[in-house]
Amino acid sequence: MKPAAALAAGNPALWLGLLVIVVLGLVMRTTFYTGFYGSDEVTYVDAAAKVLRGDWTPSGYIGAIRYGHQLPMAGFMALFGQNEIAANLWPLLCSLGEIALVVLVGNQLIGFRAALLGGLVLAVLPLHVHYAGRIMADAPLAFFMTASFLLFWLGQQKDKAFLFLLAGLAAGYVFWVKEVTVIYLALFLTFPLFFRCWNWKWMWMLAGFVVVLGANFAIFWSTAGDPLYVLKIAARAASDYASGSARFANAAAMATSPFYYFEYLFPKAYHSWLLGYLALAGLYLLLRGSPVRNTLPGRAFVVWWGLGLLLLFSLLPVSLNPLKLLSKQVNYLLMFTAPLALLAGYFLASLRGRTLAIAVALVIIPGIFLSALEKNVITVFTANSKAAVQLAQQHPEARVYGPAGAERAALFYALVSPAAAGRIEPVATLLAQAGQSTHKGVTYAILDTQTATWAGDRLKTKADVPKCWILDKPLEPVLETSLAGVFHLIGTTSARLLPGSINDKVAGKLRELTTPDPAYVYKVPALQPGQTCEG
C-alpha cells in the first residue's frame, strides 16, 4: 500500500485501525488520569453544579461563564450523578473524539497509513493524555477547532453546503468553549489566497457560526439582560492582561515570547515529546513532493492548517503600544496538535520495516513515561491538599484552616462527592485574627510547604507560624504516583552508575517528581480574653 493511499469508508481495516488507536488512547487516559489540580477546573465544576441547581446567575469571572464546557458537564452529571467521573467525561470524550477525527478524516487527507500513525502520535502524546483528565476546557476546545477545519476541508472536497454548515457550527461552539480563541478563524481568510480558489458555499460556514453565536448571546440576554455580557467580561480580562493588571487571573503564568510554542515543541519537549521533530520531518517531505495547487490536495491543507495556527497564535499582537503579543500557555499547544500529528504521521508512514518499528517504539514508550510524569507532577503538588481534605472529613466538629490549594481541594471534592464533604477555611482569615481562634472546639491550621508560594499564601515556612500554635503532627500526603517502580529503578541505577554529584542531582529531581514537600498540622488554642497569640 502506498503511504498516501486512502481506504474506502466501508473497508473494515479502516474501522479496525480506528478502534485500536482509540482504545489505546482510552487506556492511556484512564491509566494516567490527572484529576484535581486547583485551578479553573474547580470553577468549571462549580458552575456546572449551579446549572444543575437551576442557578444561571452570570459570574463576573470569564472562566465561570464558558457554557460550551460547563453545560455538557452538567448534562453528564445529571445523567450519571454529581461525581468526578461524570464531570470528566466531557473532556475525555472530546480528547478521544479528536483522535478519531484525525484517523477518519486524515485517511482522506494524507492516506490511511499516515493518518493511523498520526492518530497513534496523538493517542500517546503526553499533553493530550494529561488534559483529557484535567476537567479543563482545553480538550473540548481542541476537538471543535479541529472539527471545524476538517469539516471545512470535506465540504470543499465534496462541494457540500451541509458540511460547511457543520464546520460553522463547530467554529461557533469554539466561541462557547473559550471565546477569545475564535481569532483562529482569521486563518480561514487566507484560504482563498493560499489555494487560489473561491466557493460561495463558504457562506454556509458563516451562517452556522452566526447561529451558534446568536444562541450564546440569547442565553446571556436571558440570564444577564445583556446579549454581549460574555464579550464584555472577556474584553475586561484581555484589557487587564494587556495593561499588566493583577486582576487578570493567570497573568503571572502567561508568556508572550514569539518562540514560546517552538520551545515546547523542540528543546523543552517533555510535553510534546517527538511531535515537533516528526512534524518538521513530515513538513519537509510534503513541501518537497507536493506543491500547493488549486486542486486543494489534502497534504497542502494540513501544511496550511498546522503552520497557520502555529504562526497565528505565536505572533498575533494584543497591544501595539506597548507591543504585547497574544498570551501563551502550554495547554494552548493542544489547539494545533492535530495537524502536527498528521504531519508526524506522514513522516512515519514513509518509514519501513525495522526503522518504522523503532520509530513507533520511540513514540510510544517515552510517551508512556512522560504521561506518567505529567500525572506525577500534579499528584505530588496536590498530595497535601488532598490530605487536608481528609483531615477535615475525619474531624467534622473541628474548624480547619488551610492554604489556597487545600481550600480549593475542599470545594472541589464537596462538589464531586457531596456526601463526604469537608470544609477548609482560608488560613489568611486566622492570621488576620492575629493567629487566634474564636472557635470553642478544636481548631486546626495547616502549613503546606509544597503549595506555599503557589497562590501567595502568607504562611510559607515554620518561621511564619504564630507562637501559640501547637504542632500536632505532620500531614500524611495522599500520594498515588504512576510507574513508581520505574522511578525507583532509575534512582537505584543512577546510584550505581553515575558519579556522586550527578547522582545527587538525579535523586533530587526524582524526589521532586515523586515526593511532596512536607505539610504540618497545628492545633490553634482558643485564647482567653486578654491573652494574645504572642504570649
Side-chain angles (χ1 to χ4, degrees):
M1 179 185 295
K2 295 180 180 179
L7 295 184
N11 193 318
L14 173 62
W15 299 100
L16 178 60
L18 173 66
L19 178 64
V20 169
I21 296 299
V22 170
V23 169
L24 172 63
L26 178 62
V27 170
M28 288 288 293
R29 282 149 183 77
T30 52
T31 301
F32 302 116
Y33 170 74
T34 311
F36 169 77
Y37 172 63
S39 60
D40 268 352
E41 82 271 20
V42 182
T43 301
Y44 292 140
V45 177
D46 185 38
K50 287 179 179 177
V51 170
L52 280 178
R53 298 195 301 267
D55 182 0
W56 289 79
T57 306
S59 170
Y61 174 56
I62 189 63
I65 51 176
R66 286 172 172 160
Y67 290 134
H69 184 45
Q70 293 142 6
L71 292 186
M73 286 173 56
F76 282 118
M77 288 194 289
L79 287 173
F80 304 115
Q82 193 170 324
N83 56 71
E84 189 171 352
I85 294 175
N88 190 68
L89 270 178
W90 179 233
L92 174 63
L93 292 176
C94 286
S95 180
L96 296 174
E98 188 176 21
I99 296 171
L101 282 177
V102 163
V103 175
L104 288 175
V105 185
N107 170 57
Q108 300 182 48
L109 276 166
I110 57 173
F112 173 67
R113 180 185 172 92
L116 193 68
L117 290 166
L120 172 67
V121 170
L122 209 58
V124 299
L125 188 71
L127 195 70
H128 213 273
V129 172
H130 176 70
Y131 277 98
R134 274 290 302 275
I135 320 183
M136 299 285 281
D138 299 284
L141 173 69
F143 171 76
F144 284 99
M145 192 177 287
T146 295
S148 69
F149 278 101
L150 293 178
L151 288 166
F152 178 88
W153 182 81
L154 287 174
Q156 187 70 8
Q157 286 296 98
K158 300 178 183 299
D159 197 30
K160 297 287 188 182
F162 178 65
L163 291 169
F164 287 123
L165 177 64
L166 291 179
L169 295 176
Y173 201 84
V174 167
F175 180 88
W176 276 60
V177 177
K178 195 169 284 192
E179 65 299 317
V180 295
T181 59
V182 293
I183 58 173
Y184 88 95
L185 293 174
L187 185 60
F188 284 92
L189 299 178
T190 70
F191 185 86
L193 300 175
F194 193 83
F195 290 101
R196 300 188 296 277
C197 63
W198 182 262
N199 189 339
W200 285 105
K201 291 180 182 177
W202 295 342
M203 296 301 105
W204 283 99
M205 181 176 181
L206 178 61
F209 176 78
V210 169
V211 166
V212 180
L213 188 69
N216 187 271
F217 290 167
I219 284 181
F220 285 102
W221 196 354
S222 172
T223 59
D226 183 356
L228 303 182
Y229 183 82
V230 68
L231 292 178
K232 293 176 181 178
I233 298 299
R236 187 176 69 191
S239 175
D240 289 345
Y241 161 69
S243 64
S245 169
R247 288 180 300 164
F248 189 75
N250 295 313
M254 294 290 187
T256 59
S257 168
F259 307 108
Y260 181 85
Y261 294 125
F262 296 94
E263 290 177 3
Y264 280 97
L265 286 170
F266 296 103
K268 299 178 180 178
Y270 30 80
H271 295 299
S272 59
W273 184 221
L274 296 178
L275 177 66
Y277 298 98
L278 295 175
L280 186 62
L283 176 65
Y284 170 74
L285 290 182
L286 285 170
L287 293 180
R288 185 186 68 176
S290 180
V292 175
R293 294 189 295 267
N294 291 340
T295 52
L296 183 60
R299 289 167 287 181
F301 182 85
V302 173
V303 172
W304 167 81
W305 171 21
L307 284 186
L309 282 183
L310 185 55
L311 293 175
L312 176 69
F313 283 101
S314 295
L315 302 177
L316 187 70
V318 295
S319 172
L320 296 178
N321 187 22
L323 179 64
K324 185 172 285 190
L325 300 181
L326 195 68
S327 61
K328 302 167 181 68
Q329 288 179 284
V330 171
N331 50 305
Y332 294 165
L333 270 172
L334 287 178
M335 293 187 293
F336 31 84
T337 52
L340 296 184
L342 286 170
L343 290 172
Y346 190 80
F347 170 73
L348 291 173
S350 70
L351 306 178
R352 290 292 183 274
R354 183 176 298 176
T355 304
L356 176 61
I358 293 173
V360 168
L362 287 174
V363 168
I364 295 176
I365 296 173
I368 293 172
F369 180 75
L370 289 171
S371 295
L373 278 183
E374 297 268 10
K375 175 181 173 61
N376 286 355
V377 167
I378 304 300
T379 298
V380 168
F381 181 78
T382 60
N384 294 331
S385 298
K386 294 172 182 176
V389 175
Q390 287 190 354
L391 176 71
Q393 291 171 342
Q394 293 164 0
H395 299 278
E397 77 291 344
R399 296 281 290 272
V400 180
Y401 294 85
E407 184 187 356
R408 291 184 69 78
L411 174 58
F412 177 79
Y413 288 108
L415 290 168
V416 299
S417 306
R423 184 184 178 192
I424 296 179
E425 300 177 60
V427 73
T429 302
L430 201 58
L431 295 176
Q433 300 167 183
Q436 299 174 219
S437 172
T438 59
H439 181 53
K440 293 182 180 179
V442 178
T443 298
Y444 292 109
I446 296 169
L447 164 64
D448 181 4
T449 61
Q450 176 67 45
T451 65
T453 60
W454 176 54
D457 290 314
R458 287 174 55 192
L459 203 63
K460 294 181 173 62
T461 67
K462 286 186 175 181
D464 300 320
V465 174
K467 292 181 180 179
C468 66
W469 291 7
I470 304 166
L471 180 62
D472 186 47
K473 57 184 176 181
L475 194 63
E476 189 67 30
V478 177
L479 196 61
E480 297 178 0
T481 57
S482 296
L483 304 183
V486 173
F487 289 107
H488 177 71
L489 178 62
I490 292 173
T492 55
T493 303
S494 69
R496 293 173 184 169
L497 302 179
L498 298 177
S501 60
I502 299 177
N503 175 61
D504 289 344
K505 292 181 180 179
V506 172
K509 182 56 67 175
L510 287 175
R511 279 194 297 272
E512 288 180 19
L513 296 172
T514 58
T515 307
D517 292 332
Y520 305 95
V521 180
Y522 291 85
K523 283 187 177 179
V524 182
L527 301 179
Q528 301 300 318
Q531 287 184 302
T532 67
C533 199
E534 298 302 318

